[in-house]
């Protein structure tokens, strides 16, 4: 039994020793496996974290991060990435790049008060920016006319995008919304030097006569700005800057632009359209003294108005003589005849770009009969759409300006400021067709036709032949030394800024 017990113990001990030996090896193997597992988990976790960071940084970098992140390649395509949904639904807005500021020694400050209607002021603003640039002065945002016939209370920022105006020209001239406080006090005290510059002056006049005044007084106020810079004989850089301001920097407010686009879209939906700038309005007739087709009561009313405005210097006017000289706007009746003679399709829409026509429905009857698709902004839009613009004639004129630029044909019945500026802008846009009526010739032909001296065919042929070369084709401005008022207006034909090749494509 002892031997058995001994063997048993020995075996037991052996088994015990075997178990102990085997147990120690198992722990080390377990520990080894455990450490390897931990290492694997650490490595896997680290890899996941690093990869997540890379993906997140790349995504953030594509949105707003530094350029170095944008150069990293992505393992995900846009189709695989969850960001593709966002990119597809949110339109990308390109970053606005501002021109660098022009650095120059400031010679002082220039204040300007514009006079006249919208397009008279528009051209004047272009001139004043150019003058400020070449005098190395700071321009204060121009003040608009509030005392003219229209009595429009609009400020610059009510019509034009003032921030775009300032920033788009910062590489040429410094423009401020108002004077610095210390100089503003001088304006309130009425101690600022104010004067009207001489009309049709060269840029040298401003350098030699106006600049010394600005350097002396620090602030000069030019209280009249229309036609103060000559049409011709100016350095090319001067002419180019006038164009840049007009065609790029003077952008209407978003409210005006959006409503203008709506009107154009409504017109386009119904086919081609012509803009007729029918300048047969009360103020124009009173100013010019043109009373063709008016009754005695209307003639007296227009005459009283002419005498009521002291700056309308011409008082006694022979209407018949003015008409024969081509100095009167065509009447609605005369306009209907001319459109028919030019064989303008009566299925076209005729958009009337004007204020209230003097004589109303009675005077428009013949034009409406010949062209039944007459429309105006007031007939295309709801009253609520135009409510904000009521009693703001310049803002209403801005709407007509936008529509005029986009029309298939533009026909002004008088060569006023709007007709001229729109003509020049349409030339800039590629010589879009603008029929420039020769009024002195046309009224003579109309009188001959009405008297029976010309048949309809003779009348129509004469009108068409005389206007074949008056459709806004490329041409040189008329230069008349010592008679600047009789020259072609710079803004009607800014030839220094135009591309002749465009005209060859679109003047047919």
């Amino acid at each position: 039994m002892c031997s058995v017990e001994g063997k048993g113990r020995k075996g037991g001990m052996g088994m015990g020793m075997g178990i102990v030996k085997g147990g120690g090896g198992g722990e080390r193997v377990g520990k080894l496996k455990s450490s390897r597992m931990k290492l694997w988990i650490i490595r896997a976790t680290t890899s996941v974290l690093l990869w997540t960071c890379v993906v997140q940084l790349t995504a953030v970098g594509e949105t707003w991060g530094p350029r170095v992140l944008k150069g990293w390649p992505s393992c995900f395509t846009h189709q695989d990435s969850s960001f593709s949904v966002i990119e597809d639904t949110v339109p990308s807005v390109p970053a606005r790049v501002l021109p660098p500021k022009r650095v120059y020694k400031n010679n002082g400050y220039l204040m300007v008060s514009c006079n006249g209607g919208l397009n008279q002021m528009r051209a004047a603003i272009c001139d004043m920016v150019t003058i400020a640039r070449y005098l190395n002065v700071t321009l204060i945002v121009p003040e608009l006319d509030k005392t003219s016939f229209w009595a429009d209370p609009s400020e610059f920022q009510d019509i034009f995008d003032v921030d775009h105006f300032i920033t788009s020209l910062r590489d040429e001239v410094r423009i401020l919304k108002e004077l610095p406080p210390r100089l503003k006090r001088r304006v309130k005290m009425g101690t600022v030097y104010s004067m009207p510059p001489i009309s049709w002056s060269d840029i040298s006049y401003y350098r030699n006569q106006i600049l010394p005044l600005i350097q002396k007084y620090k602030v000069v106020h030019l209280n009249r700005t229309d036609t103060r810079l000559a049409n011709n004989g100016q350095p090319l850089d001067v002419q180019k800057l006038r164009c840049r301001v007009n065609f790029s920097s003077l952008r209407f407010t978003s409210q005006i632009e959006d409503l203008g686009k709506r009107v154009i879209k409504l017109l386009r939906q119904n086919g081609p359209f012509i803009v007729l700038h029918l300048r047969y309005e009360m103020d124009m007739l009173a100013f010019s003294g043109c009373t063709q087709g008016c009754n005695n009561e209307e003639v007296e009313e227009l005459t009283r108005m002419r005498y009521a405005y002291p700056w309308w210097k011409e008082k006694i006017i022979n209407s018949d003589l003015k008409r024969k000289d081509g100095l009167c706007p065509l009447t609605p009746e005369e306009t209907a005849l001319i459109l028919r003679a030019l064989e303008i399709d009566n299925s076209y829409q005729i958009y009337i770009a004007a204020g209230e026509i003097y004589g109303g429905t009675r005077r428009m009857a013949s034009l409406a009969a010949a062209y039944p698709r007459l429309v105006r902004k007031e007939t295309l839009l709801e009253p609520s759409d135009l409510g904000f613009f009521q009693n703001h004639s310049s803002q209403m004129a801005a709407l007509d300006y936008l529509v005029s630029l986009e029309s298939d044909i533009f026909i002004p019945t008088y060569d006023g400021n709007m007709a001229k500026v729109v003509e020049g802008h349409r030339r800039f846009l590629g010589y879009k067709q603008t029929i420039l009526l020769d009024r002195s010739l046309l009224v003579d032909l109309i009188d001959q036709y009405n008297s029976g001296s010309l048949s309809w065919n003779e009348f129509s042929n004469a009108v068409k032949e005389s206007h074949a070369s008056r459709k806004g084709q490329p041409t040189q401005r008329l230069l008349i030394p010592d008679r600047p008022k009789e020259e072609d207006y710079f803004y009607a034909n800014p030839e220094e800024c135009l591309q002749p090749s465009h005209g060859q494509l679109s003047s047919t």
Side-chain angles (χ1 to χ4, degrees):
M1 286 181 65
C2 290
S3 62
V4 171
E5 286 178 0
K7 287 180 181 177
R9 285 195 295 267
K10 184 177 179 181
M13 288 176 64
M15 287 178 62
M17 289 175 66
I19 291 171
V20 171
K21 183 177 180 180
E27 285 180 4
R28 283 196 292 273
V29 170
K31 288 180 181 179
L32 182 60
K33 288 183 179 180
S34 177
S35 62
R36 285 178 180 175
M37 180 66 71
K38 289 179 180 178
L39 182 61
W40 182 85
I41 292 172
I42 291 169
R43 286 177 177 175
T45 304
T46 304
S47 297
V48 170
L49 288 173
L50 286 173
W51 184 244
T52 303
C53 290
V54 168
V55 172
Q56 292 293 334
L57 286 171
T58 303
V60 172
E62 287 175 353
T63 306
W64 54 263
R67 292 182 181 178
V68 66
L69 293 178
K70 296 182 181 180
W72 290 10
S74 174
C75 295
F76 294 106
T77 63
H78 286 293
Q79 288 75 18
D80 295 332
S81 174
S82 60
F83 291 105
S84 64
V85 177
I86 300 173
E87 291 174 355
D88 289 341
T89 56
V90 180
S92 60
V93 179
R96 186 180 180 189
V97 179
L98 298 179
K101 285 185 179 180
R102 176 170 169 259
V103 179
Y104 61 93
K105 180 184 177 182
N106 182 33
N107 287 318
Y109 297 83
L110 180 64
M111 298 176 63
V112 295
S113 294
C114 301
N115 57 294
L118 173 66
N119 292 286
Q120 187 172 331
M121 293 191 291
R122 182 187 185 102
I125 292 166
C126 299
D127 286 351
M128 293 299 115
V129 169
T130 304
I131 288 163
R133 158 64 176 84
Y134 283 92
L135 298 187
N136 285 336
V137 299
T138 297
L139 177 69
I140 305 304
V141 168
E143 178 188 25
L144 303 188
D145 192 345
K146 301 177 183 62
T147 61
S148 65
F149 168 82
W150 303 276
D152 187 338
S154 299
E155 301 288 354
F156 186 99
Q157 62 269 20
D158 297 324
I159 300 174
F160 299 108
D161 184 336
V162 66
D163 293 323
H164 173 74
F165 175 70
I166 292 171
T167 56
S168 67
L169 289 165
R170 57 188 253 148
D171 60 331
E172 293 286 358
V173 63
R174 184 179 180 222
I175 304 175
L176 299 179
K177 293 182 180 179
E178 57 183 19
L179 284 168
R182 60 185 178 82
L183 296 175
K184 201 173 179 181
R185 287 192 291 271
R186 289 173 54 183
V187 175
K188 291 179 180 178
M189 294 170 60
T191 58
V192 171
Y193 189 89
S194 184
M195 62 172 287
I198 298 173
S199 298
W200 310 113
S201 296
D202 290 335
I203 197 73
S204 59
Y205 160 79
Y206 290 93
R207 190 176 293 114
N208 298 332
Q209 303 294 324
I210 304 301
L211 180 56
L213 293 173
I214 296 175
Q215 291 172 325
K216 178 180 179 180
Y217 295 102
K218 299 303 178 187
V219 183
V220 167
H221 174 225
L222 301 183
N223 53 32
R224 286 185 70 87
T225 57
D226 62 320
T227 62
R228 303 294 146 159
L229 189 58
N231 293 311
N232 300 297
Q234 305 310 302
L236 181 60
D237 287 347
V238 167
Q239 304 292 56
K240 293 270 190 184
L241 183 53
R242 295 169 91 175
C243 291
R244 177 180 169 184
V245 181
N246 190 26
F247 303 133
S248 178
S249 298
L250 279 180
R251 179 196 295 169
F252 293 123
T253 63
S254 58
Q255 186 175 21
I256 294 173
E257 293 272 352
D258 291 344
L259 197 56
K261 289 174 184 175
R262 280 183 57 193
V263 173
I264 293 163
K265 183 179 180 181
L266 290 169
L267 288 164
R268 283 273 174 244
Q269 287 173 350
N270 296 311
F273 71 95
I274 295 169
V275 167
L276 182 65
H277 184 43
L278 190 61
R279 195 68 170 93
Y280 201 77
E281 300 155 302
M282 190 176 187
D283 65 296
M284 174 50 65
L285 300 178
F287 172 75
S288 62
C290 297
T291 56
Q292 178 73 12
C294 296
N295 57 38
N296 291 335
E297 196 174 303
E298 289 170 336
V299 172
E300 290 178 5
E301 181 181 37
L302 294 172
T303 302
R304 285 196 302 272
M305 176 179 283
R306 185 164 67 252
Y307 276 87
Y309 289 88
W311 52 88
W312 292 355
K313 296 179 181 178
E314 193 177 9
K315 302 300 180 183
I316 301 174
I317 296 174
N318 184 326
S319 177
D320 292 336
L321 184 60
K322 264 206 158 186
R323 176 175 173 269
K324 289 184 183 297
D325 288 340
L327 300 175
C328 290
L330 294 180
T331 68
E333 298 88 351
E334 291 169 340
T335 302
L337 277 176
I338 298 306
L339 294 183
R340 287 177 53 212
L342 289 169
E343 297 185 348
I344 300 294
D345 193 332
N346 67 357
S347 68
Y348 279 20
Q349 301 166 95
I350 305 289
Y351 178 92
I352 304 297
E356 186 177 350
I357 302 303
Y358 193 62
T361 305
R362 174 177 65 84
R363 296 305 301 273
M364 291 292 288
S366 59
L367 184 58
Y371 291 90
R373 299 185 69 192
L374 290 180
V375 293
R376 306 171 61 98
K377 51 188 171 292
E378 292 85 355
T379 61
L380 291 169
L381 299 170
E382 297 295 329
S384 58
D385 295 324
L386 292 170
F388 181 82
F389 299 91
Q390 294 299 327
N391 302 318
H392 294 82
S393 59
S394 290
Q395 295 181 49
M396 295 286 254
L399 284 177
D400 284 341
Y401 186 95
L402 291 172
V403 180
S404 298
L405 291 184
E406 294 300 320
S407 62
D408 295 283
I409 305 174
F410 176 66
I411 307 176
T413 61
Y414 187 76
D415 57 351
N417 287 291
M418 177 168 174
K420 291 175 180 176
V421 178
V422 169
E423 175 194 345
H425 205 148
R426 286 174 66 86
R427 287 178 184 270
F428 179 79
L429 294 174
Y431 296 94
K432 301 175 77 171
Q433 190 174 104
T434 301
I435 300 178
L436 307 169
L437 301 177
D438 185 343
R439 292 187 305 282
S440 60
L441 172 66
L442 289 176
V443 296
D444 181 53
L445 291 174
I446 289 169
D447 289 346
Q448 290 184 60
Y449 170 71
N450 286 335
S451 67
S453 301
L454 289 177
S455 68
W456 174 256
N457 286 338
E458 290 172 330
F459 172 69
S460 179
N461 289 335
V463 171
K464 286 185 287 189
E465 289 173 9
S466 61
H467 287 77
S469 60
R470 297 176 64 88
K471 296 184 179 180
Q473 298 98 324
T475 184
Q476 289 189 330
R477 278 197 312 274
L478 177 64
L479 172 62
I480 307 177
D482 302 323
R483 287 190 292 169
K485 289 184 180 180
E486 298 174 37
E487 291 181 332
D488 287 341
Y489 190 42
F490 173 81
Y491 291 100
N493 184 17
E495 60 183 64
E496 295 91 336
C497 312
L498 308 181
Q499 298 295 328
S501 60
H502 289 170
Q504 294 167 8
L505 294 173
S506 58
S507 62
T508 55

